[in-house]
Amino acid sequence: MQDDLFGAPPAAPSPHVLAQAASEPIVRRRRTNEVCPAPADAALQALAATIPPRVRIGSSSWSYPGWAGLVWDEGPYSESLLSKEGLHAYSQHPLLRVVGVDRSFYRPLTQDQYARYAAQVPDDFRFVVKAPSHVTDALVRGEDGRGLQPNPAFLDPVLATQDFVAPALAGLGHKVGALVFQLSPLPRHLLHNLPLVLQRMRTLLLAQPPLSPTAPDGVLALEVRDPEWLDPLFMPELAAMLREAGATWCLCLHAKMPRLADQLPLLRKLWPGPMVCRWNLNPLHGAYGYEDAQREYSPYDRIHDVDQDTRELLVRTMAGIAGAGQNVYVTISNKAEGCAPLSVRALAEGLAANPRP
C-alpha cells in the first residue's frame, strides 16, 4: 500500500557511483564569517625562519581587502568582515608577528575587547596599542579635527590607567608589546612650554602600574608629532624623564617629524632598551599628505613609492638592537610605501641579508 502511495523504494547506488564518490576530495565549506589566510609558500617560510625571535614586524591595522593573496586568500572579503574576523588570519602570516591597534585612539577599548584580540593570535604574537586621544590630545576637537577648546583630561594619570593601561594589560596579558602615548600636535602655548608638558608626562608615566609582572616584553612609549621635542638642547631632559619612568621613545616615521637618522640619537641616550617604531607616512606626501597617500595607494596591493633610505637604516637599527638582546617592534602603515605586508617582507629580506651591522 505504501509503495503504491509513495512510489517504489529508491534503488541502491551502483558500485561504480560509490567508488567515484569515495575518490573525490572532501571540500570544507567556509563559514560565512570566516577569513582564511593566504597559503604561505616555502620561500616565505624560509625567510621567516631567518628573522631573530626578538624582532617583530607587522602592520598598523588589518582590515584591507586589497591584501587578498598576500595575507588573506582570494576571498573576497569586505572591510567590515576583516575588521571583525581578520586578525586570526593575519597572525598566521609567517612574517606578521605584531600589529598596531589604532582603534583605541578614537575610543577606549574594554578588557573584554582586548581579550578577544589576544585569543585570536599565537602565543608569541604582540600588540602595539595607542592610548585614547582624550588623554593624549591637548585640545577637544570637532568632527573636522579642528581644536575647539582646551582638554581638561590632557595627560590625566588616573584616566590613562583606567581607560588604557589597566584594561590593555588585563585583556592582552603577556601579549602586550608597546603601549604608546601618541601626543597630538600641541597648541602654540604648550609647544612654547615643553618643560611643563614633559613634567606632566613624567607624572603620568610614573603613575602607571608596572608592565613586567603581566607582560615581560611590554613597554610604555612616547610618540609625538612636533619636531621641537627633538631639539638638541631639550633632548637630554626628555631622555632623562623617559629613563626615570622606564619608558622609551617611539620612533615616528611621519612627514611631520624629522627622518629616522635624526631621531636615533634620542634612542641611543636610552640605551640599553627596546625599539618601538611606527612607520606611518611616506615623506613624499608632505606633513598633511595622509589623504593623498590614501587616495593614491588604495587598495594597498602593491608598493608604489619605495623609501630605500628608511628601509636600509631600519634594517641596520633593528639588527643591532635585537642582536644586543632587546625587543624590536616595528609597525608599518600602507601609507609608508603603498602596501604594508610587502614593506614588511622587504625589511625581512634586508635582515636576512644583513643579520648584524
Side-chain angles (χ1 to χ4, degrees):
M1 184 67 174
Q2 290 180 353
D3 289 345
D4 291 340
L5 290 174
F6 301 105
S14 69
H16 172 73
V17 172
L18 290 174
Q20 182 179 6
S23 66
E24 292 179 352
I26 298 174
V27 178
R28 183 173 64 87
R29 181 173 294 177
R30 176 190 291 152
R31 301 192 309 272
T32 56
N33 65 340
E34 182 181 13
V35 178
C36 295
D41 58 33
L44 191 63
Q45 297 280 9
L47 177 61
T50 68
I51 306 304
R54 289 191 175 275
V55 172
R56 291 180 172 89
I57 321 172
S59 78
S60 59
S61 188
W62 66 84
S63 59
Y64 303 103
W67 291 356
L70 296 172
V71 178
W72 341 111
D73 65 2
E74 295 299 334
Y77 302 111
S78 67
E79 185 175 337
S80 61
L81 177 61
L82 291 172
S83 178
K84 294 176 183 176
E85 305 294 341
L87 180 56
H88 175 71
Y90 170 99
S91 70
Q92 303 307 300
H93 190 287
L95 298 179
L96 302 177
R97 300 180 58 233
V98 67
V99 75
V101 179
D102 285 1
R103 176 186 172 195
S104 53
F105 181 76
Y106 303 100
R107 178 176 297 178
L109 302 184
T110 67
Q111 175 182 332
D112 289 345
Q113 288 173 307
Y114 284 122
R116 185 173 183 273
Y117 287 157
Q120 297 180 60
V121 301
D123 192 64
D124 69 341
F125 192 91
R126 297 293 181 266
F127 292 87
V128 172
V129 191
K130 284 175 63 174
S133 62
H134 71 257
V135 173
T136 60
D137 196 335
L139 298 174
V140 176
R141 298 184 185 272
E143 293 183 0
D144 60 358
R146 294 184 181 181
L148 302 178
Q149 61 189 36
N151 175 15
F154 179 52
L155 299 184
D156 184 308
V158 175
L159 280 181
T161 305
Q162 171 187 300
D163 291 350
F164 180 46
V165 176
L169 265 181
L172 297 176
H174 73 277
K175 297 175 183 178
V176 167
L179 301 181
V180 179
F181 292 89
Q182 183 220 297
L183 302 191
S184 300
L186 294 170
R188 186 174 303 174
H189 72 282
L190 289 179
L191 199 56
H192 292 168
N193 196 0
L194 281 184
L196 172 64
V197 181
L198 188 70
Q199 184 57 39
R200 294 180 66 178
M201 192 72 225
R202 173 183 178 273
T203 301
L204 180 151
L205 291 173
L206 290 173
Q208 301 314 304
L211 304 189
S212 57
T214 302
D217 293 331
V219 64
L220 299 177
L222 171 63
E223 178 183 342
V224 303
R225 293 290 172 85
D226 294 303
E228 287 82 354
W229 287 85
L230 293 171
D231 186 310
L233 297 178
F234 186 66
M235 196 181 295
E237 191 176 351
L238 171 58
M241 183 279 290
L242 291 171
R243 195 181 304 110
E244 179 189 7
T248 194
W249 177 256
C250 178
L251 298 162
C252 175
L253 306 189
H254 189 287
K256 289 183 179 178
M257 292 295 293
R259 296 301 298 265
L260 175 59
D262 297 317
Q263 296 188 47
L264 287 178
L266 177 56
L267 207 60
R268 294 188 188 102
K269 291 180 181 296
L270 299 171
W271 185 255
M275 173 183 174
V276 180
C277 176
R278 300 199 323 122
W279 187 4
N280 291 304
L281 180 64
N282 197 306
L284 289 174
H285 298 285
Y288 300 95
Y290 186 88
E291 292 182 357
D292 291 339
Q294 187 175 35
R295 181 175 57 256
E296 292 178 26
Y297 293 166
S298 181
Y300 313 123
D301 56 352
R302 62 187 179 90
I303 296 292
H304 288 254
D305 295 309
V306 173
D307 187 347
Q308 191 63 34
D309 290 344
T310 295
R311 286 185 181 184
E312 292 177 359
L313 186 51
L314 268 178
V315 165
R316 295 200 302 272
T317 307
M318 293 159 64
I321 290 177
Q326 299 293 325
N327 289 316
V328 172
Y329 304 111
V330 177
T331 61
I332 307 174
S333 168
N334 285 320
K335 287 77 179 176
E337 295 186 312
C339 178
L342 294 180
S343 295
V344 169
R345 183 159 189 161
L347 293 185
E349 290 169 347
L351 284 169
N354 302 281
R356 284 297 302 272

